[in-house]
Amino acid sequence: MSHLDILLPFALPPVAMGPDLIRAMQTPALAVLLARSQAAATQRHDAFARALPHERWLARAIGLSPDDSRDTSAPLALQAMHQRAITPESGVWFLLNPVHIHIARDHLVLTDPRRLALSDADAHTLFALAAPLFEEIGQQLVYGDAGTWFLRADGWSTLQTSTPDATCGHNIDIWMPKGPAERDWRKVQNEIQMHWHDNAVNRARESVGLNPVNSLWLWGGAQAGQRMTTTEYTAGFNLGNWRSDTMKHGANATLADIIATHTPRGLLMLDALIEPALGEDLSEWLLRFNELEATWFAPLLQALKDKSLTSCRLILTHGSAIREYSVSRTTLRKFWLKPSLKGLLQ
């Protein structure tokens, strides 16, 4: 294999805890890769942007949204629909996620949808309550899976929407959809919240300590038939919804699997750190980071040494920053550079 780009969302630790965390990390192979790489300057992103740095990077990388000058979530709905064998012929489609919105003292906070633990049966029950409310305003709701639904709303194409991960943990007010149709969205959203408020599904969830499913999150609007621009990558691995139609793909791939494809230029995403980072669970973040050493960093270093991989680039991000490290057989020869994780500090 010639080259592999590896995207590591939230691999840059929180600024205040960075020194303590890197002292606790057990990642010697990563320390070698970082110390003997060519590092690009850190790019800073608006902390209030509607998409996280890694999401914006991915959208450009796969040709989904090459121009990210408009502050909105990437048009990911069609990609997510294709993943679930749904192919819309026409219309503007949005991703719609069942979520829990926490009521804080003076504002509302979106919690991480990954932690919702919504069963398929319960999701179908809530879907059946919501679908007629959309039909009343001429919109079509389509079931994808328990955590992902799709909404056709042709008149809402200009809405600026935010990704759930960009919004998670924050006051949702400034991340809510904005545009001429925002009042229409909020009206139907409020109606759904009322229908779900005292539903048996939520009563049962609360009785066992689970958060109620009390709202929906709208984002990722895309026009059916929208074509992606070309991408430099010939294959993508572990990309989830971020798959490009022009790339070969693999899910749950190991580094050995990736190298065996002999693709000239591959893209891999390692997303294990997103959930603990959004939940500010630093102990779990550290545990998962250390696990990446054995499964990815050590094999990666060995692959560069034994020439089964020519070069790689590590793209590390945080909620408002992104930094890249380029590693090759040539840079690894700089044996006088001591292994160090200081490159993770912002």
Side-chain angles (χ1 to χ4, degrees):
M1 184 178 190
S2 298
H3 180 84
L4 180 65
D5 278 351
I6 304 176
L7 179 64
L8 286 147
F10 287 97
L12 297 177
V15 175
M17 295 297 296
D20 292 332
L21 287 170
I22 67 170
R23 279 194 291 270
M25 290 172 64
Q26 300 171 13
T27 54
L30 177 62
V32 172
L33 292 168
L34 293 180
R36 298 177 188 174
S37 66
Q38 292 181 336
T42 300
Q43 301 175 39
R44 300 293 176 183
H45 289 246
D46 183 357
F48 295 97
R50 292 181 175 271
L52 291 169
H54 76 271
E55 294 171 326
R56 296 165 69 93
W57 188 95
L58 263 174
R60 291 193 301 271
I62 66 173
L64 184 61
S65 183
D67 178 12
D68 61 3
S69 58
R70 182 169 178 254
D71 186 21
T72 191
S73 57
L76 198 61
L78 298 183
Q79 303 301 113
M81 295 179 85
H82 293 163
Q83 290 294 302
R84 294 160 178 83
I86 304 170
T87 305
E89 295 182 357
S90 60
V92 175
W93 292 85
F94 290 86
L95 281 153
L96 204 59
N97 300 129
V99 296
H100 172 73
I101 294 179
H102 171 67
I103 303 174
R105 177 177 296 180
D106 57 358
H107 60 275
L108 302 176
V109 178
L110 179 68
T111 59
D112 189 351
R114 295 176 187 81
R115 300 190 172 188
L116 200 57
L118 180 61
S119 70
D120 197 57
D122 286 350
H124 274 293
T125 298
L126 297 175
F127 179 92
L129 291 171
L133 300 177
F134 285 109
E135 290 175 5
E136 289 177 5
I137 58 175
Q139 295 174 346
Q140 179 185 2
L141 191 63
V142 173
Y143 189 90
D145 56 38
T148 307
W149 307 346
F150 303 99
L151 177 69
R152 179 174 179 175
D154 295 356
W156 293 2
S157 61
T158 59
L159 275 180
Q160 289 178 272
T161 60
S162 308
T163 68
D165 283 356
T167 310
C168 184
H170 302 297
N171 181 340
I172 67 172
D173 185 56
I174 64 173
W175 276 276
M176 288 284 284
K178 303 290 183 184
E182 64 180 88
R183 290 187 179 181
D184 297 331
W185 160 246
R186 293 198 183 200
K187 180 179 179 181
V188 69
Q189 183 187 37
N190 288 337
E191 290 177 355
I192 289 168
Q193 289 171 334
M194 288 188 289
H195 277 71
W196 286 357
H197 173 66
D198 196 34
N199 183 266
V201 166
N202 279 326
R203 291 199 302 270
R205 287 177 60 86
E206 291 182 287
S207 70
V208 293
L210 294 174
N211 285 328
V213 184
N214 58 11
S215 192
L216 287 166
W217 195 257
L218 181 84
W219 66 289
Q223 175 72 51
Q226 176 179 317
R227 293 188 177 276
M228 302 171 71
T229 60
T230 57
T231 175
E232 62 182 316
Y233 298 103
T234 51
F237 306 93
N238 304 351
L239 297 182
N241 289 330
W242 295 90
R243 288 176 51 172
S244 165
D245 296 336
T246 61
M247 297 159 57
K248 295 179 182 179
H249 290 283
N252 301 316
T254 64
L255 186 62
D257 296 331
I258 294 170
I259 291 174
T261 65
H262 302 292
T263 188
R265 192 171 187 90
L267 172 61
L268 164 70
M269 179 165 66
L270 302 177
D271 61 1
L273 303 176
I274 298 177
E275 183 179 344
L278 294 179
E280 298 182 342
D281 186 347
L282 295 181
S283 61
E284 180 65 19
W285 180 91
L286 183 61
L287 175 64
R288 295 191 185 189
F289 214 136
N290 288 339
E291 289 174 349
L292 290 173
E293 172 73 12
T295 54
W296 290 103
F297 303 141
L300 179 63
L301 179 58
Q302 185 59 45
L304 289 165
K305 288 180 176 179
D306 65 23
K307 301 182 181 180
S308 55
L309 179 64
T310 303
S311 61
C312 73
R313 179 171 55 154
L314 303 175
I315 302 100
L316 281 53
T317 78
H318 190 261
S320 58
I322 186 167
R323 189 182 301 157
E324 301 178 1
Y325 299 87
S326 297
V327 191
S328 67
R329 299 168 191 168
T330 302
T331 63
L332 285 179
R333 294 193 188 106
K334 299 179 180 180
F335 60 88
W336 58 89
L337 296 176
K338 295 182 179 180
S340 174
L341 295 172
K342 291 183 178 179
L344 295 177
L345 299 178
Q346 301 178 60

